Amino acid sequence: MSNISETLFARAVELIPGGVNSPVRAFRGVGGTPRFIARANGATMTDVDGREYIDYVGSWGPMILGHADPEVIEALHQALARGTSYGAPTELEIEVAQEVIDAVPSIEMVRMVNSGTEATMSALRLARGVTGRNKIVKFEGCYHGHGDSLLVRAGSGVATLGLPDSPGVPTSIAAHTLTAPFNDAAALAQIFDEYGRDIAACIVEPVVGNMGCVAPQEGFLRSLRDITRRHGALLIFDEVMTGFRLARGGAQALFGVSPDITTLGKIIGGGLPVGAYGGSREIMEHIAPAGPVYQAGTLSGNPLAMTAGLVTLRRLRDASLYEQLERAGARLVNGMTEAARETGIVTTTNRVGSMWTSFFTARAVTDWATASTSDRAAYGKFFHAMLGEGVYLAPSQFEAGFISIRHTDDIIDRTIEAARRAFASV
Ligand code: HOZ
């Protein structure tokens, strides 16, 4: 099959490592050539060859309002005419900060950065600065961006490519990162019993998106809160994916557990590059220039990301949108599960709100050990069958799918019909 995506990819691999600016996009987890996208609108994307896809990647989470939301685009047009970056404070930044603080229970102050990776790196530095300790604990299969301390037993692209850890991370830094299985509070308690006095923070995706979607079991997040508090360590919820997605107040509002520091990204930039980290006033006033922990950024809080973010966050004040997303998620997952069953394909589908993943395994998927029992070759076949049906899923088993408010019942029913045919072909 000769097409424009293939021609572009051949050029891209000569100029960009692996042909992409972020590894999972390269389709290595599923094989084949990545589709180059020309445009997107609502729940769909169109590639350079003119094929339209129902999109469940949603730019990996930000597009909760759907692509090219008219209100976001109009606000961006107006903002563009006022200039794209000033390197000086704006009222818009206060408005976005206010919106985040109003929504997220544990945040009293927030600092904007430019990506989720920057947010988690900065949150770790803050935790180390506040506690005067060096070690951190993360969970196997959770991914928190590509900061040195966090590329240990990570999910997402690291898991997709089968790289246990990354060359280039000094062993002296990796040695400060301890890992436990997700959903295993006893293992965490043991780590804290051994190293508690040296541990600055425990970081977790409260609902994991980066080994596929995996929910916390009853009481797990509460145990993390209790264990960290008992040992004088900080609890960091990485809500880059879940913030403003599972509820306006994120997973912490949904599960009723308050972390000390929260990292955000994706939705709060309305589709433009953004990240943020926040917490109590007492903790956040350690950040420069209020305090001594240094962190800075030329484009942080830039007016375009703040504009798109503000429109998006204000729209998400409408609680009925989360009810709509919940209904859409249930309709999709019930339909997919039924389609798999009818065609005799064994899957386990996890969902929390509008995040979901179908794993090709009979096991309940609760952690990395069970996520990795999924038949990745079967996922690859299913992925390509769905692509052929005009449905764009994550090109890796170890990523979550995302639903937007533009995924109507009709679009979801078309997806289920496509899945029925795709399962049959697997
Ligand atoms: N690691 C990102 C999702 N978990 C992928 C980002 C991208 O490829 O754009």
Side-chain angles (χ1 to χ4, degrees):
M1 175 178 68
S2 159
N3 59 39
I4 302 172
S5 278
E6 281 183 357
T7 308
L8 291 180
F9 192 53
R11 267 183 77 196
V13 291
E14 296 301 323
L15 305 171
I16 303 170
V20 289
N21 282 313
S22 193
V24 182
R25 298 176 199 179
F27 277 30
R28 298 245 175 131
V30 289
T33 306
R35 301 299 186 265
F36 280 64
I37 302 303
R39 60 186 179 276
N41 194 281
T44 61
M45 297 201 294
T46 306
D47 72 12
V48 287
D49 291 290
R51 298 188 193 97
E52 191 178 273
Y53 305 96
I54 300 172
D55 176 28
Y56 288 96
V57 172
S59 190
W60 303 97
M63 311 315 303
I64 195 164
L65 300 182
H67 292 286
D69 175 79
E71 205 185 326
V72 172
I73 298 298
E74 174 55 29
L76 280 172
H77 274 303
Q78 289 178 19
L80 270 170
R82 294 190 292 267
T84 55
S85 182
Y86 317 125
T90 63
E91 190 175 349
L92 261 175
E93 293 162 272
I94 304 175
E95 297 297 329
V96 175
Q98 190 70 64
E99 205 67 37
V100 169
I101 290 162
D102 285 349
V104 184
S106 66
I107 298 187
E108 292 175 352
M109 296 187 101
V110 62
R111 167 62 64 84
M112 288 291 156
V113 291
N114 299 289
S115 70
T117 290
E118 235 187 285
T120 54
M121 281 167 40
S122 307
L124 287 194
R125 181 174 305 149
L126 175 58
R128 286 169 164 151
V130 168
T131 59
R133 300 171 176 183
N134 287 326
K135 293 197 185 301
I136 59 136
V137 190
K138 73 176 283 291
F139 293 93
E140 292 160 14
C142 283
Y143 175 78
H144 306 284
H146 58 270
D148 281 349
S149 296
L150 293 162
L151 274 187
V152 180
R153 301 208 183 173
S156 187
V158 185
T160 303
L161 298 175
L163 308 168
D165 306 300
S166 174
V169 175
T171 31
S172 56
I173 292 182
H176 285 306
T177 302
L178 308 168
T179 60
F182 187 72
N183 271 325
D184 189 342
L188 186 74
Q190 224 170 4
I191 289 174
F192 267 92
D193 285 342
E194 194 163 344
Y195 300 101
R197 261 181 298 186
D198 298 328
I199 298 174
C202 170
I203 184 166
V204 67
E205 295 180 74
V207 170
V208 189
N210 285 294
M211 52 180 142
C213 177
V214 179
Q217 286 171 339
E218 180 76 35
F220 176 64
L221 298 176
R222 171 61 52 203
S223 300
L224 301 193
R225 179 65 286 177
D226 295 343
I227 294 166
T228 46
R229 192 166 277 150
R230 203 159 54 238
H231 290 271
L234 301 186
L235 179 60
I236 304 172
F237 274 8
D238 179 351
E239 298 231 42
V240 169
M241 274 187 189
T242 55
F244 288 91
R245 170 156 294 276
L246 300 185
R248 186 161 172 265
Q252 59 194 268
L254 194 64
F255 293 96
V257 176
S258 275
D260 299 297
I261 301 175
T262 302
T263 58
L264 295 166
K266 300 196 188 273
I267 287 174
I268 64 164
L272 275 83
V274 91
Y277 61 108
S280 66
R281 175 176 302 277
E282 192 193 341
I283 288 176
M284 291 305 287
E285 285 197 327
H286 284 75
I287 299 288
V293 176
Y294 200 73
Q295 180 271 309
T298 298
L299 290 167
S300 295
N302 84 81
L304 296 185
M306 294 300 97
T307 296
L310 189 58
V311 171
T312 303
L313 299 190
R314 286 187 172 157
R315 287 268 290 285
L316 293 173
R317 287 179 189 172
D318 177 356
S320 74
L321 293 181
Y322 290 101
E323 289 160 20
Q324 178 188 331
L325 288 167
E326 172 62 29
R327 279 195 303 274
R331 188 181 188 98
L332 178 72
V333 161
N334 292 342
M336 298 270 292
T337 305
E338 183 59 17
R341 202 190 52 75
E342 278 171 20
T343 45
I345 301 289
V346 175
T347 58
T348 294
T349 300
N350 285 353
R351 177 182 76 86
V352 181
S354 55
M355 286 171 69
W356 63 284
T357 302
S358 288
F359 295 91
F360 287 77
T361 178
R363 304 273 301 272
V365 176
T366 57
D367 58 11
W368 173 244
T370 44
S372 57
T373 63
S374 185
D375 180 343
R376 294 167 66 180
Y379 182 81
K381 282 186 199 157
F382 179 66
F383 169 86
H384 279 290
M386 288 295 268
L387 208 55
E389 292 281 348
V391 180
Y392 192 97
L393 302 176
S396 164
Q397 174 69 91
F398 304 123
E399 299 285 352
F402 296 98
I403 301 167
S404 79
I405 60 167
R406 301 286 294 279
H407 286 76
T408 57
D409 285 355
D410 174 55
I411 286 174
I412 287 172
D413 291 348
R414 275 163 44 205
T415 307
I416 295 165
E417 281 316 307
R420 188 166 284 115
R421 289 188 293 270
F423 280 129
S425 78
V426 170

